[in-house]
Amino acid sequence: MNERNGKEVSDKKGVRVRFAPSPTGYLHIGGARTAIYNWLFARKHQGTFILRIEDTDLDRSTDESIQGIIDGLAWLGLDWDEGPYFQSKNAEAHREAAQRLLETGHAYKCFCTKEELDQKREEARKAKKPYQYDRTCRDLSPEEVAAREAQGLPYVIRFKVPDGEGSVSFRDAVYGNMEKRFKDIEDFVIVRSSGAPLYLLCNAVDDIKDRITHVIRGQDGLANTPRQILIYKALGAELPVFAHMPLTLDLQKRKISKRTHGEVVAVQFYRERGFLPWALVNFLVLLGWHTSDDREIFSRDELIEAFSLDGISRANSIFNYRPGDQKFFTDPKALSINAHYLRTMPIEELAAHVREDFTGQGLWDPSFDADKREWFLRTLDLIRSRYHTIRDFAELGRAYFFEEFPYEPKALKKNILKHPDLKTWLPELADRFDGVESWNLETTEEVVRAFAGEIGVKAGIIINGIRTAVTGQAVGPGLFDVLVAIGKKRVVDRLKRVPDLYVS
Ligand code: GLU
């Protein structure tokens, strides 16, 4: 048994992967995608998915961010098997590793001052040569080191990159064979002069401690990999498989980031805007991974079955984010996948989501639970095929559920204001509707057609007018279905109020 944050880590063999976010902001879609790939890989291989919070940079890490990451993962349904572990709690192991590297001759104390290093860097710049630490302290004798320490001189600990013509080579599961020559790797710092171990060391030490078998992370980690491999080897640890994922870019080919794109890349944003968690997972997984038949819709089990590292592409993926577009506020593919799930999910499940959203907005009417239950489900079913998000039920579908609803200006203009006669026709029609005993598809249609025939106008004008008067919109399901769903009393009231719509 292995101890981790005081908890036991099972020795079960098999795949062990981790999602290792730095808690310096909200969970964004790039981070979520990394988590998803790791989670899928673990589930596919009946392995272990670990959540590790990389909070070594305590100044930039916040509790709020940690909570946001945990909530976001939980909302997405990405359950982890171990953790959250906190990198900061593993400081002892990081120090021990640095000590061991010193003792085994894989690292050394460097007493060069910042001023000296700055000057050398400046000289290299002037000579137009690439700068690399010149290894001044690499071969200090133990006596020299002891003497400097005795003087109380500050030092950093640097990793001793092997000499000679060799290289670090490895096979990335996505990018293939990679190689970096030793001479292109500087003797990098692993412990600051304050005694604080650097991220690169912590990350590798934690992966060793957590017995990570596959490091699946963003392409930006690729630059760290050769140095991490050197650390692994120097510590005598077995190497994991590395799999780096392509970047996600926007249409202008900029890397998607919190800083450039703001909230539209936060998982929380999608939650608030009415995304279903699984729909978001399904969309995100396709940003950089595909099956040979380019399938786009996967249930949880299907995705676990289909997922493999082979399907991750090297080409950067495009997140077609559209700032300023009200309707398509994010990638149209994300919306269409969400719409797919809204249309096809069990109606009871959809009802639970809509209920939660209505409740969150203080709109929930408890009578939908008891006496109006059947009607509520039927109405959701009637309107869901046009909607893209859960939010649309309260926004575009408000007229179906509540007394107060907005009239879309364009619809009002086209279907009501353009025909001044509707001011008298629709209230008259309301009286006819009032007299209908049995309110159903046939009876409502009969009344409308007979009325249009009597006054000698095209039924379309009346139908469009009614639609806008009772729903506030120009499009929707078949009008008679709409009338039945909204109910006789509300339809009658709304038609009677039509003259008010002409008063601006
Ligand atoms: N904490 C790193 C990040 O958030 C993770 C790097 C890794 O997965 O190795 O980018």
Side-chain angles (χ1 to χ4, degrees), residues 342-347 350 374-386 393 401 477:
L342 286 186
R343 251 189 340 264
T344 55
M345 73 198 297
I347 197 73
L350 175 66
E374 278 300 308
W375 162 84
F376 182 60
L377 298 184
R378 239 186 308 114
T379 306
L380 290 179
D381 201 27
L382 175 68
I383 61 181
R384 65 169 160 173
S385 67
R386 294 174 173 268
F393 290 88
F401 305 106

Side-chain angles (χ1 to χ4, degrees), residues 84-100:
Y85 297 142
F86 291 89
Q87 188 157 68
S88 58
K89 297 215 173 111
N90 208 17
E92 195 50 41
H94 305 145
R95 275 193 295 273
E96 269 170 31
Q99 194 54 38
R100 192 136 57 89

Side-chain angles (χ1 to χ4, degrees), residues 18-23 34 38 52-54 87 199 203 207 215-218 220-221 224 228 244:
R18 79 320 192 259
F19 173 49
S22 304
T34 305
N38 277 285
R52 185 171 77 217
I53 306 288
E54 299 211 312
Q87 188 157 68
Y199 173 70
N203 180 270
D207 280 344
V215 170
I216 305 169
R217 64 183 174 193
D220 35 357
N224 292 337
Q228 290 182 323
H244 288 88

Side-chain angles (χ1 to χ4, degrees), residues 297-318:
I297 299 290
F298 299 86
S299 68
R300 184 182 184 282
D301 289 346
E302 286 166 350
L303 192 56
I304 291 171
E305 167 77 30
F307 187 78
S308 80
L309 298 180
D310 299 343
I312 300 180
S313 61
R314 294 181 199 179
N316 293 329
S317 55
I318 300 291

